[in-house]
Coordinates of all heavy atoms in Angstrom, one line a residue:
A57 N -41.8 126.6 -84.6 CA -40.4 126.7 -84.2 C -39.8 125.4 -83.9 O -38.7 125.0 -84.3 CB -40.2 127.7 -83.0
E58 N -40.6 124.6 -83.2 CA -40.1 123.2 -82.8 C -40.0 122.3 -84.1 O -39.1 121.6 -84.2 CB -41.1 122.6 -81.8 CG -41.0 123.1 -80.4 CD -41.8 124.4 -80.3 OE1 -42.3 125.0 -81.3 OE2 -42.0 124.9 -79.1
L59 N -41.0 122.5 -85.0 CA -40.9 121.8 -86.3 C -39.7 122.1 -87.0 O -38.9 121.3 -87.5 CB -42.2 122.1 -87.1 CG -42.3 121.4 -88.5 CD1 -43.8 121.1 -88.8 CD2 -41.7 122.1 -89.6
A60 N -39.4 123.4 -87.1 CA -38.2 123.9 -87.8 C -36.9 123.4 -87.2 O -36.0 123.0 -87.9 CB -38.2 125.4 -87.9
A61 N -36.9 123.3 -85.9 CA -35.7 122.8 -85.1 C -35.5 121.3 -85.4 O -34.4 120.9 -85.6 CB -35.9 123.1 -83.6
A62 N -36.6 120.6 -85.4 CA -36.5 119.2 -85.7 C -36.0 118.9 -87.1 O -35.1 118.1 -87.4 CB -37.8 118.5 -85.5
V63 N -36.5 119.7 -88.1 CA -36.0 119.6 -89.5 C -34.5 120.0 -89.6 O -33.7 119.3 -90.2 CB -36.9 120.5 -90.4 CG1 -36.2 120.7 -91.8 CG2 -38.3 120.0 -90.5
A64 N -34.1 121.1 -88.9 CA -32.8 121.6 -88.9 C -31.8 120.5 -88.5 O -30.7 120.4 -89.0 CB -32.6 122.8 -88.1
R65 N -32.2 119.7 -87.5 CA -31.3 118.6 -87.0 C -31.0 117.6 -88.1 O -30.0 116.9 -88.0 CB -31.9 118.0 -85.8 CG -31.8 118.8 -84.5 CD -32.1 118.0 -83.3 NE -33.6 117.8 -83.1 CZ -34.4 118.6 -82.6 NH1 -34.0 119.8 -82.1 NH2 -35.7 118.3 -82.4
E66 N -31.8 117.5 -89.1 CA -31.6 116.5 -90.2 C -31.0 117.1 -91.4 O -30.7 116.5 -92.4 CB -32.9 115.9 -90.6 CG -33.6 115.0 -89.5 CD -32.7 113.8 -89.2 OE1 -32.0 113.3 -90.0 OE2 -32.8 113.3 -88.0
A67 N -30.8 118.5 -91.4 CA -30.3 119.1 -92.6 C -28.8 119.0 -92.7 O -28.1 119.2 -91.7 CB -30.7 120.6 -92.5
T68 N -28.3 118.6 -93.9 CA -26.9 118.5 -94.1 C -26.3 119.8 -94.7 O -25.1 120.0 -94.8 CB -26.6 117.3 -94.9 OG1 -27.4 117.3 -96.1 CG2 -26.9 116.0 -94.2
A69 N -27.2 120.6 -95.3 CA -26.9 121.8 -96.0 C -28.2 122.6 -96.2 O -29.3 122.0 -95.9 CB -26.3 121.5 -97.4
P70 N -28.2 123.8 -96.6 CA -29.4 124.5 -96.8 C -30.3 123.7 -97.9 O -29.7 123.2 -98.8 CB -29.0 125.9 -97.4 CG -27.6 126.1 -96.9 CD -27.0 124.7 -96.8
F71 N -31.6 123.6 -97.6 CA -32.4 122.8 -98.5 C -32.5 123.5 -99.9 O -32.7 124.7 -100.0 CB -33.8 122.7 -97.9 CG -33.9 121.8 -96.7 CD1 -33.9 122.3 -95.5 CD2 -33.9 120.4 -96.9 CE1 -33.9 121.5 -94.4 CE2 -34.0 119.6 -95.8 CZ -34.0 120.1 -94.5
G72 N -32.4 122.7 -100.9 CA -32.5 123.2 -102.3 C -33.9 123.2 -102.8 O -34.1 123.7 -104.0
L73 N -34.9 122.8 -102.0 CA -36.3 122.7 -102.5 C -37.2 122.7 -101.3 O -36.9 122.0 -100.3 CB -36.5 121.5 -103.3 CG -37.9 121.1 -103.7 CD1 -38.5 122.0 -104.7 CD2 -38.0 119.6 -104.2
L74 N -38.3 123.4 -101.3 CA -39.3 123.3 -100.3 C -40.6 123.0 -101.1 O -41.1 123.7 -101.9 CB -39.5 124.5 -99.5 CG -40.8 124.6 -98.6 CD1 -40.7 123.5 -97.5 CD2 -40.9 126.0 -98.0
V75 N -41.3 121.8 -100.7 CA -42.6 121.5 -101.2 C -43.5 121.6 -99.9 O -43.2 121.0 -98.9 CB -42.7 120.1 -101.8 CG1 -44.2 119.8 -102.2 CG2 -41.8 120.0 -103.0
A76 N -44.6 122.4 -100.0 CA -45.4 122.6 -98.8 C -46.9 122.5 -99.1 O -47.4 123.2 -100.0 CB -45.1 123.9 -98.1
W77 N -47.6 121.6 -98.4 CA -49.0 121.6 -98.4 C -49.5 121.8 -96.9 O -49.6 120.8 -96.2 CB -49.5 120.3 -99.0 CG -51.0 120.3 -99.3 CD1 -51.9 121.2 -99.0 CD2 -51.7 119.2 -99.9 NE1 -53.2 120.9 -99.4 CE2 -53.1 119.7 -100.0 CE3 -51.4 118.0 -100.5 CZ2 -54.1 118.9 -100.6 CZ3 -52.4 117.2 -101.1 CH2 -53.7 117.7 -101.1
V78 N -49.6 123.0 -96.6 CA -49.9 123.4 -95.2 C -51.2 124.1 -95.2 O -51.4 125.1 -95.9 CB -48.8 124.3 -94.6 CG1 -49.1 124.5 -93.1 CG2 -47.4 123.6 -94.7
H79 N -52.1 123.6 -94.4 CA -53.5 124.2 -94.4 C -53.5 125.5 -93.6 O -52.7 125.7 -92.7 CB -54.5 123.2 -93.7 CG -54.5 121.9 -94.3 ND1 -55.3 120.8 -93.8 CD2 -53.8 121.3 -95.4 CE1 -55.1 119.8 -94.6 NE2 -54.2 120.0 -95.5
T80 N -54.4 126.4 -94.1 CA -54.6 127.6 -93.3 C -55.1 127.2 -91.9 O -55.9 126.2 -91.9 CB -55.7 128.5 -94.0 OG1 -56.0 127.9 -95.2 CG2 -55.3 129.9 -94.2
P81 N -54.9 127.8 -90.8 CA -54.2 129.1 -90.6 C -52.7 128.9 -90.3 O -52.0 129.8 -89.8 CB -54.9 129.7 -89.4 CG -55.2 128.5 -88.6 CD -55.5 127.3 -89.6
H82 N -52.1 127.7 -90.5 CA -50.8 127.4 -90.1 C -49.7 127.8 -91.1 O -48.5 127.8 -90.9 CB -50.6 125.9 -89.8 CG -51.6 125.3 -88.9 ND1 -51.5 125.6 -87.5 CD2 -52.7 124.6 -89.0 CE1 -52.5 125.0 -86.9 NE2 -53.3 124.4 -87.8
R83 N -50.2 128.1 -92.4 CA -49.3 128.2 -93.5 C -48.2 129.3 -93.3 O -47.0 129.0 -93.4 CB -50.2 128.6 -94.7 CG -49.6 128.6 -96.0 CD -50.6 128.9 -97.1 NE -50.0 129.5 -98.2 CZ -50.0 130.8 -98.4 NH1 -50.6 131.6 -97.6 NH2 -49.3 131.3 -99.4
D84 N -48.6 130.5 -92.9 CA -47.6 131.6 -92.8 C -46.6 131.2 -91.7 O -45.4 131.3 -92.0 CB -48.3 132.9 -92.3 CG -48.9 133.6 -93.5 OD1 -49.5 132.9 -94.4 OD2 -48.8 134.8 -93.5
G85 N -47.0 130.8 -90.6 CA -46.1 130.5 -89.5 C -45.1 129.4 -89.8 O -43.9 129.5 -89.5
V86 N -45.7 128.3 -90.4 CA -44.8 127.2 -90.7 C -43.8 127.6 -91.8 O -42.6 127.3 -91.7 CB -45.6 125.9 -91.1 CG1 -44.7 124.8 -91.7 CG2 -46.5 125.4 -89.9
L87 N -44.2 128.2 -92.8 CA -43.3 128.6 -93.9 C -42.2 129.5 -93.5 O -41.1 129.4 -93.8 CB -44.1 129.1 -95.1 CG -45.0 128.2 -95.8 CD1 -45.7 128.8 -97.1 CD2 -44.3 126.9 -96.3
K88 N -42.6 130.5 -92.6 CA -41.7 131.5 -92.2 C -40.6 130.8 -91.2 O -39.5 131.2 -91.2 CB -42.4 132.7 -91.5 CG -43.0 133.6 -92.5 CD -43.8 134.7 -91.8 CE -44.4 135.6 -92.9 NZ -45.5 136.4 -92.3
A89 N -41.1 129.8 -90.5 CA -40.2 129.2 -89.5 C -39.1 128.4 -90.2 O -38.0 128.3 -89.8 CB -41.0 128.2 -88.6
V90 N -39.4 127.8 -91.4 CA -38.4 127.0 -92.1 C -37.6 127.8 -93.1 O -36.6 127.3 -93.6 CB -39.0 125.7 -92.8 CG1 -39.7 124.8 -91.7 CG2 -40.0 126.1 -93.9
Q91 N -38.0 129.0 -93.4 CA -37.3 129.8 -94.4 C -35.8 129.9 -94.1 O -35.0 129.8 -95.1 CB -37.9 131.3 -94.5 CG -37.1 132.1 -95.5 CD -37.8 133.4 -95.8 OE1 -38.5 134.0 -94.9 NE2 -37.6 133.9 -97.0
P92 N -35.3 130.1 -92.9 CA -33.9 130.2 -92.7 C -33.1 128.9 -93.1 O -31.9 128.9 -93.2 CB -33.7 130.4 -91.2 CG -35.0 131.0 -90.7 CD -36.1 130.3 -91.6
L93 N -33.9 127.8 -93.3 CA -33.2 126.5 -93.6 C -33.0 126.4 -95.1 O -32.5 125.4 -95.5 CB -34.0 125.4 -93.0 CG -34.4 125.4 -91.5 CD1 -35.2 124.2 -91.1 CD2 -33.0 125.4 -90.7
L94 N -33.6 127.3 -95.9 CA -33.6 127.1 -97.3 C -32.4 127.8 -98.0 O -31.9 128.9 -97.5 CB -34.8 127.8 -97.9 CG -36.2 127.3 -97.4 CD1 -37.3 128.0 -98.2 CD2 -36.3 125.8 -97.6
A95 N -31.9 127.3 -99.0 CA -30.8 128.0 -99.8 C -31.5 129.2 -100.4 O -32.7 129.2 -100.7 CB -30.3 127.0 -100.9
P96 N -30.7 130.3 -100.6 CA -31.4 131.5 -101.1 C -32.2 131.4 -102.4 O -33.2 132.1 -102.5 CB -30.2 132.5 -101.3 CG -29.1 131.9 -100.5 CD -29.3 130.4 -100.4
D97 N -31.7 130.5 -103.3 CA -32.4 130.4 -104.6 C -33.4 129.2 -104.6 O -33.9 128.8 -105.7 CB -31.4 130.3 -105.7 CG -30.4 129.1 -105.5 OD1 -30.4 128.6 -104.4 OD2 -29.7 128.8 -106.5
A98 N -33.6 128.6 -103.5 CA -34.4 127.3 -103.5 C -35.9 127.6 -103.9 O -36.5 128.5 -103.3 CB -34.4 126.7 -102.1
P99 N -36.4 126.9 -104.9 CA -37.8 127.1 -105.2 C -38.7 126.6 -104.2 O -38.4 125.6 -103.5 CB -38.0 126.3 -106.5 CG -36.8 125.4 -106.6 CD -35.7 125.9 -105.7
V100 N -39.8 127.2 -104.0 CA -40.9 126.8 -103.1 C -42.1 126.4 -104.0 O -42.5 127.1 -104.9 CB -41.3 128.0 -102.2 CG1 -42.5 127.6 -101.3 CG2 -40.2 128.4 -101.3
I101 N -42.6 125.2 -103.7 CA -43.7 124.6 -104.4 C -44.8 124.6 -103.4 O -44.8 123.7 -102.4 CB -43.5 123.2 -105.0 CG1 -42.1 123.1 -105.6 CG2 -44.6 122.8 -105.9 CD1 -41.9 124.1 -106.7
E102 N -45.9 125.4 -103.5 CA -47.0 125.3 -102.6 C -48.2 124.7 -103.2 O -48.5 125.0 -104.4 CB -47.3 126.8 -102.2 CG -46.7 127.2 -100.9 CD -47.5 128.2 -100.2 OE1 -48.5 127.7 -99.5 OE2 -47.3 129.4 -100.3
V103 N -48.8 123.8 -102.5 CA -50.0 123.1 -103.0 C -51.2 123.8 -102.4 O -51.3 124.1 -101.2 CB -49.9 121.6 -102.6 CG1 -51.1 120.9 -103.2 CG2 -48.6 121.0 -103.1
W104 N -52.2 124.0 -103.2 CA -53.4 124.7 -102.8 C -54.6 123.9 -103.3 O -54.7 123.6 -104.4 CB -53.4 126.1 -103.3 CG -54.6 127.0 -102.8 CD1 -55.6 127.4 -103.5 CD2 -54.8 127.4 -101.4 NE1 -56.5 128.1 -102.7 CE2 -56.0 128.2 -101.4 CE3 -54.0 127.3 -100.3 CZ2 -56.4 128.7 -100.3 CZ3 -54.5 127.9 -99.1 CH2 -55.7 128.6 -99.1
S105 N -55.6 123.8 -102.3 CA -56.8 123.0 -102.7 C -57.9 123.5 -101.8 O -57.7 123.9 -100.7 CB -56.5 121.5 -102.5 OG -57.8 120.8 -102.3
S106 N -59.1 123.5 -102.4 CA -60.3 123.8 -101.5 C -61.5 123.1 -102.1 O -61.7 123.2 -103.3 CB -60.5 125.3 -101.4 OG -61.7 125.5 -100.7
A107 N -62.2 122.4 -101.3 CA -63.4 121.7 -101.8 C -64.6 122.7 -101.7 O -65.6 122.6 -102.4 CB -63.7 120.4 -101.1
S108 N -64.5 123.6 -100.7 CA -65.7 124.4 -100.4 C -65.7 125.7 -101.2 O -66.8 126.3 -101.4 CB -65.8 124.7 -98.9 OG -64.6 125.4 -98.5
Q109 N -64.5 126.2 -101.6 CA -64.5 127.5 -102.4 C -63.7 127.3 -103.6 O -62.9 126.3 -103.8 CB -63.8 128.5 -101.5 CG -64.6 128.9 -100.3 CD -63.8 129.9 -99.4 OE1 -62.8 129.5 -98.8 NE2 -64.2 131.1 -99.4
D110 N -63.8 128.2 -104.5 CA -63.0 128.2 -105.8 C -61.5 128.3 -105.5 O -61.1 129.4 -105.0 CB -63.5 129.3 -106.7 CG -62.8 129.4 -108.0 OD1 -61.7 128.8 -108.1 OD2 -63.3 130.1 -108.9
P111 N -60.7 127.3 -105.7 CA -59.3 127.3 -105.3 C -58.5 128.4 -106.0 O -57.7 129.0 -105.4 CB -58.8 125.9 -105.7 CG -59.9 125.1 -105.9 CD -61.1 126.0 -106.3
L112 N -58.9 128.7 -107.3 CA -58.1 129.7 -108.0 C -58.5 131.1 -107.5 O -57.6 132.0 -107.3 CB -58.5 129.7 -109.5 CG -57.7 128.6 -110.3 CD1 -58.2 128.7 -111.8 CD2 -56.2 128.8 -110.3
A113 N -59.7 131.3 -107.1 CA -60.2 132.6 -106.6 C -59.7 132.9 -105.2 O -59.6 134.0 -104.8 CB -61.7 132.7 -106.7
T114 N -59.4 131.8 -104.5 CA -58.9 132.0 -103.1 C -57.4 131.7 -102.9 O -57.0 131.7 -101.8 CB -59.7 131.0 -102.2 OG1 -59.5 129.7 -102.7 CG2 -61.2 131.3 -102.1
L115 N -56.7 131.6 -104.0 CA -55.3 131.3 -104.0 C -54.5 132.5 -103.2 O -54.6 133.6 -103.7 CB -54.7 131.2 -105.4 CG -53.3 130.8 -105.5 CD1 -53.0 129.4 -104.9 CD2 -52.9 130.8 -107.0
P116 N -53.9 132.2 -102.1 CA -53.3 133.3 -101.4 C -51.9 133.7 -102.0 O -51.3 132.8 -102.7 CB -53.1 132.7 -100.0 CG -53.0 131.3 -100.2 CD -53.8 130.9 -101.4
P117 N -51.4 134.9 -101.8 CA -50.1 135.2 -102.3 C -49.0 134.4 -101.7 O -49.2 133.8 -100.6 CB -50.0 136.7 -102.0 CG -50.9 137.0 -100.9 CD -52.0 135.9 -101.0

Side-chain angles (χ1 to χ4, degrees):
E58 288 83 350
L59 182 149
V63 169
R65 285 193 284 277
E66 295 294 335
T68 52
F71 289 100
L73 170 72
L74 169 63
V75 177
W77 190 354
V78 183
H79 305 178
T80 357
H82 304 285
R83 189 175 151 263
D84 278 39
V86 171
L87 294 184
K88 285 175 182 164
V90 300
Q91 179 169 29
L93 306 177
L94 305 181
D97 57 348
V100 174
I101 316 301
E102 267 213 78
V103 184
W104 186 248
S105 159
S106 175
S108 56
Q109 292 174 290
D110 179 344
L112 279 178
T114 54
L115 183 63

